[in-house]
Amino acid sequence: MPTDTMETVNPKHIAIIMDGNGRWAQKRKMPRFMGHRAGVKTVRAIVEYCAELEIEALSLFAFSSENWRRPKAEVSLLMDLFMTTLQGEVDKLDENGIKLRVIGDKTAFSEKLQQKIVQAEMQTQDNKGLNLVIAANYGGHWDIAQAVRTISERIKSGELESAEVTEGLIAQHLTTAGLPDPDLFIRTGGEQRVSNFLLWQLAYTEFYFTDKLWPEFDQTSLSEAIESFKNRERRFGYTSDQVADKRRN
Ligand code: IPE
Ligand code: IPE
Ligand code: MG
């Protein structure tokens, strides 16, 4: 039973590590790539559902900075899938008021893919609905390092003083600038680790792990995760009594 100290509202920002595509396919004696294709269908369903629930932001981990270590053929199939999905979905995202942002080191992608990403972001930039963040060639360490590089440049040019480097300023230089930190983090596929996803941003996020493989994760699974979130008491360092007092006043 939720008490008055528990969350009653939906998370504003949900971050998901979509894991288990390969195992889903292997269980069915199919090549791993079929799992990635099936995973795209789940992405569609989850994006639609988040838009329907009027969630402010959904961040999806699509490709980590470590995933280049995979066999060349799998990496190249994943890049193709990313490209065709982007191309095929952008109009639909746009029609549904969804604003797309791709975060990660995009310089490693082909010129053509980089152009597609810029086009898709531009086409949807004025939309006011769900902020859909796709993390591709993303690493939490990389995100912090690129923020530090930009801040250092600004200090070097005299635009900024080192005393002005606050937590808020660092957050403004991360690739998620302008978005609230995730309230709910979900990882499918049974693994219980962060795998270099949004390290800074997950400081006070509620974690939810499920053994469901990503292609099996559906709208019901998401609403179960949201229910679990609503049964958490987020204390942010306060005591439970203080949280209850704050809610009453
Ligand atoms: C997640 O599924 C998708 C990517 C990392 C691109 P995996 O491909 O990691 O699936 P498993 O973990 O091998 O089952
Ligand atoms: C994390 O999944 C990255 C994505 C889902 C894109 P991995 O399957 O690559 O993570 P590890 O290597 O098992 O931690
Ligand atoms: Mg995996």
Side-chain angles (χ1 to χ4, degrees), residues 44-56:
R44 252 182 232 123
I46 295 306
V47 170
E48 261 171 41
Y49 193 46
C50 285
E52 204 178 294
L53 293 176
E54 298 185 5
I55 302 286
E56 186 175 329

Side-chain angles (χ1 to χ4, degrees), residues 107-177:
T107 59
F109 297 145
S110 71
E111 271 302 318
K112 213 167 142 205
L113 181 52
Q114 290 188 50
Q115 275 172 20
K116 284 275 162 243
I117 292 171
V118 173
Q119 274 169 14
E121 287 177 333
M122 273 172 39
Q123 184 178 337
T124 61
Q125 67 185 352
D126 296 325
N127 290 343
K128 299 282 180 272
L130 175 74
N131 287 284
L132 176 61
V133 180
I134 304 290
N137 192 21
Y138 179 88
H141 284 170
W142 167 84
D143 200 357
I144 295 167
Q146 66 78 31
V148 172
R149 272 194 298 276
T150 311
I151 294 169
S152 318
E153 286 304 320
R154 295 185 60 198
I155 293 173
K156 203 168 111 190
S157 72
E159 192 190 327
L160 203 67
E161 286 192 35
S162 56
E164 292 175 282
V165 181
T166 58
E167 293 178 19
L169 183 106
I170 294 174
Q172 281 165 26
H173 287 80
L174 294 171
T175 53
T176 48

Side-chain angles (χ1 to χ4, degrees), residues 190-201:
E191 247 60 76
Q192 303 196 351
R193 53 176 174 254
V194 180
S195 298
N196 200 13
F197 197 21
L198 304 162
L199 298 180
W200 173 283
Q201 298 88 336

Side-chain angles (χ1 to χ4, degrees), residues 17-26 32 35-36 61-64 67 70 74 78 187-189 191 193 213-215:
I17 299 191
M18 313 183 284
D19 199 16
N21 291 348
R23 278 165 287 162
W24 181 89
Q26 282 164 333
R32 292 177 54 85
H36 298 312
F61 205 3
F63 191 87
S64 77
N67 286 144
R70 294 194 177 196
E74 183 170 345
L78 278 166
R187 181 168 187 148
T188 61
E191 247 60 76
R193 53 176 174 254
L213 303 171
W214 178 248

Side-chain angles (χ1 to χ4, degrees), residues 79-95:
M79 291 298 146
D80 290 348
L81 188 63
F82 187 27
M83 178 93 133
T84 49
T85 307
L86 199 62
Q87 217 154 352
E89 303 291 323
V90 65
D91 286 344
K92 211 168 77 195
L93 295 178
D94 195 17
E95 281 160 25

